[in-house]
């Protein structure tokens, strides 16, 4: 089977995810991301799509769906489906399983990045792996080892950064000694930060309604995303957490950009005194605020470090890898670090001789 990959958006920069996989009989879009900031351009929507596969419910992977024709079927987990408009034609898939898509078998596994988040493996000749966003260090979300694949399209949002999450947790904890607002994605690190704070005996925190609803969902149902044994801790946390209060020393609230949702509303209040701590991607406005000393930043690892990427390359046995969502300004350094061919072209074609 011949196939063609076009990385429409997400190569050589932190940008919305949109990748087109074409076989002789199908055109499949992998993620349909929306802009992380107002300065990003929309990506060109491909025509004649047969399906859209969504990796998880964060805006840079699903918010571009509004530009696609409503009749195109969308394949995603049940958790991701809850974030989609009601009129979409949704086919719910297992977080850990397989399904058929025309002449392809698609394997999914938990991506370690978000509740209901998955990676995809396609049984094209040699195998093809697409990560969406992944983390191999989460204390809350499991990461399932994928099948082998010669070609890998992999989240590398942190570039070749290599500080392990164990160190980052200690750094973040130091910031939380003062009254702090953390703008967070509810289905991502919000619950993980809360869980680890509780396990450390620090319960002086509150979650906004969106984050609390996600905590409740995880406590009640493991769709395959969660690490073994964490649900007991989630149930205990749900019982122990006080009602939402703006005076709690630690506030975990959506949205992660810190400008919208409860986090944005709190920051707009003139008497709100908490220090804002960003722990993930900062848009240009947040970055400017950080550079001026108005807010703090300390990374909570939710994407792979260099060592995680190296482990993934070993698991996959891949010959060629496209690092996604990151600048590629020194390809030889990437190649030396990962020991495989680094894909820098947005189009990849494979013709298989029989």
């Amino acid at each position: 089977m011949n196939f063609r990959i076009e990385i429409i958006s997400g190569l050589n920069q932190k940008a919305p995810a949109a990748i087109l996989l074409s076989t002789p009989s199908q055109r499949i879009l992998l993620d349909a991301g929306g802009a992380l900031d107002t300065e990003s351009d929309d990506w060109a929507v491909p025509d004649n799509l047969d399906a859209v596969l969504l990796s998880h419910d964060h805006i840079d992977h699903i918010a571009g769906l509004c530009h696609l024709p409503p009749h195109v079927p969308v394949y995603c987990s049940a958790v991701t489906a809850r974030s989609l408009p009601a009129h979409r034609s949704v086919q719910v898939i297992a977080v850990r399983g397989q399904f058929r898509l025309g002449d392809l078998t698609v394997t999914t596994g938990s991506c370690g990045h978000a509740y209901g988040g998955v990676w995809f493996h396609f049984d094209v000749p040699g195998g093809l792996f697409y990560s969406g966003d992944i983390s191999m260090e989460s204390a809350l979300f499991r990461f399932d080892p994928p099948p082998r694949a010669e070609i890998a399209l992999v989240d590398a949002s942190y570039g070749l950064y290599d500080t392990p999450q164990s160190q980052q947790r200690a750094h973040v904890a130091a910031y939380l000694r003062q009254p702090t607002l953390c703008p967070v994605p509810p289905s991502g690190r919000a619950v993980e930060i809360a869980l680890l704070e509780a396990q450390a005996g620090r319960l002086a925190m509150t979650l906004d309604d969106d984050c609390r609803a996600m905590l409740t969902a995880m406590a009640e149902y493991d769709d395959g995303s969660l690490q073994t044994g964490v649900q007991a801790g989630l149930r205990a946390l749900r019982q122990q957490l006080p009602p939402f209060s703006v005076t709690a020393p630690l506030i975990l609230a959506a949205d992660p950009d810190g400008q919208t949702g409860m986090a944005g509303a709190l920051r707009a209040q003139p008497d709100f005194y908490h220090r804002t701590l960003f722990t993930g991607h900062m848009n240009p406005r947040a970055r400017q605020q950080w550079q001026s000393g108005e807010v703090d930043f300390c990374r909570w690892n939710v994407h792979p470090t260099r060592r995680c990427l190296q482990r993934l390359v070993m698991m996959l046995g891949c010959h060629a890898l496209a690092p996604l969502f990151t600048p590629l300004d020194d390809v030889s350094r990437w190649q030396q670090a990962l020991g495989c061919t680094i894909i820098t072209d947005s189009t990849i074609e494979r013709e298989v001789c029989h």
Side-chain angles (χ1 to χ4, degrees):
M1 177 195 301
N2 299 336
F3 64 95
R4 184 176 190 269
I5 302 161
E6 182 183 357
I7 305 174
I8 301 170
S9 175
L11 185 64
N12 204 23
Q13 60 180 328
K14 185 67 175 177
I19 295 154
L20 179 63
L21 170 62
S22 302
T23 72
S25 60
Q26 298 185 90
R27 286 165 61 81
I28 304 164
L29 187 65
L30 310 181
D31 278 335
L36 286 165
D37 58 74
T38 56
E39 298 176 8
S40 297
D41 295 328
D42 290 334
W43 42 272
V45 175
D47 56 11
N48 299 321
L49 288 173
D50 295 291
V52 182
L53 277 56
L54 300 179
S55 61
H56 64 292
D57 67 357
H58 294 170
I59 62 168
D60 53 331
H61 293 262
I62 66 169
L65 198 63
C66 60
H67 301 301
L68 272 61
H71 68 273
V72 179
V74 178
Y75 292 74
C76 63
S77 71
V79 171
T80 300
R82 293 175 201 159
S83 299
L84 305 183
H87 67 277
R88 301 300 315 199
S89 173
V90 175
Q91 305 292 319
V92 173
I93 59 173
V95 168
R96 310 172 70 199
Q98 283 189 337
F99 63 98
R100 291 289 296 178
L101 198 57
D103 50 359
L104 292 175
T105 296
V106 185
T107 302
T108 57
S110 177
C111 69
H113 177 82
Y115 188 41
V118 300
W119 50 249
F120 297 105
H121 179 279
F122 303 87
D123 69 338
V124 297
L128 168 66
F129 174 76
Y130 169 60
S131 69
D133 285 343
I134 56 169
S135 174
M136 301 167 75
E137 299 181 284
S138 174
L140 177 61
F141 302 119
R142 62 182 297 140
F143 177 80
D144 290 316
R148 295 178 72 82
E150 289 185 1
I151 298 175
L153 314 173
V154 174
D155 168 27
S157 295
Y158 293 162
L160 293 173
Y161 154 89
D162 203 30
T163 304
Q165 173 67 341
S166 56
Q167 292 182 30
Q168 285 305 114
R169 287 177 192 159
H171 295 158
V172 170
Y175 281 95
L176 302 186
R177 292 172 185 155
Q178 59 184 335
T180 302
L181 165 68
C182 284
V184 284
S187 66
R189 59 188 176 275
V191 177
E192 183 175 16
I193 293 174
L195 179 65
L196 292 179
E197 282 293 293
Q199 289 176 346
R202 297 186 289 266
L203 280 163
M205 61 180 158
T206 194
L207 277 64
D208 75 347
D209 289 348
D210 290 343
C211 296
R212 186 180 289 265
M214 202 58 75
L215 164 63
T216 297
M218 293 182 202
E220 292 177 351
Y221 180 61
D222 179 8
D223 67 346
S225 302
L226 303 180
Q227 294 279 14
T228 302
V230 299
Q231 275 192 296
L234 294 174
R235 294 189 189 107
L237 175 60
R238 181 179 56 174
Q239 296 298 321
Q240 294 166 333
L241 272 180
F244 181 75
S245 169
V246 296
T247 62
L250 171 59
I251 300 174
L252 296 162
D255 292 328
D257 64 4
Q259 295 164 17
T260 54
M262 178 59 76
L266 290 173
R267 295 182 70 201
Q269 296 180 9
D271 58 346
F272 184 69
Y273 61 89
H274 287 57
R275 184 82 175 168
T276 297
L277 173 64
F278 285 101
T279 54
H281 174 74
M282 291 190 291
N283 62 28
R285 181 177 176 184
R287 185 169 292 277
Q288 187 178 41
Q289 291 172 336
W290 173 53
Q291 290 170 341
S292 68
E294 185 179 338
V295 302
D296 294 322
F297 170 74
C298 187
R299 178 173 286 156
W300 183 276
N301 288 2
V302 292
H303 298 282
T305 62
R306 174 174 55 82
R307 271 170 279 196
C308 292
L309 290 172
Q310 290 168 335
R311 283 174 54 201
L312 183 60
V313 168
M314 293 293 291
M315 289 179 194
L316 293 167
C318 63
H319 301 162
L321 181 144
L324 300 177
F325 321 132
T326 188
L328 294 173
D329 47 8
D330 189 345
V331 174
S332 61
R333 186 162 167 256
W334 278 93
Q335 196 148 324
Q336 184 176 23
L338 301 187
C340 62
T341 299
I342 299 300
I343 297 170
T344 58
D345 292 332
S346 60
T347 301
I348 307 153
E349 298 200 51
R350 286 288 184 274
E351 294 186 4
V352 181
C353 299
H354 297 280

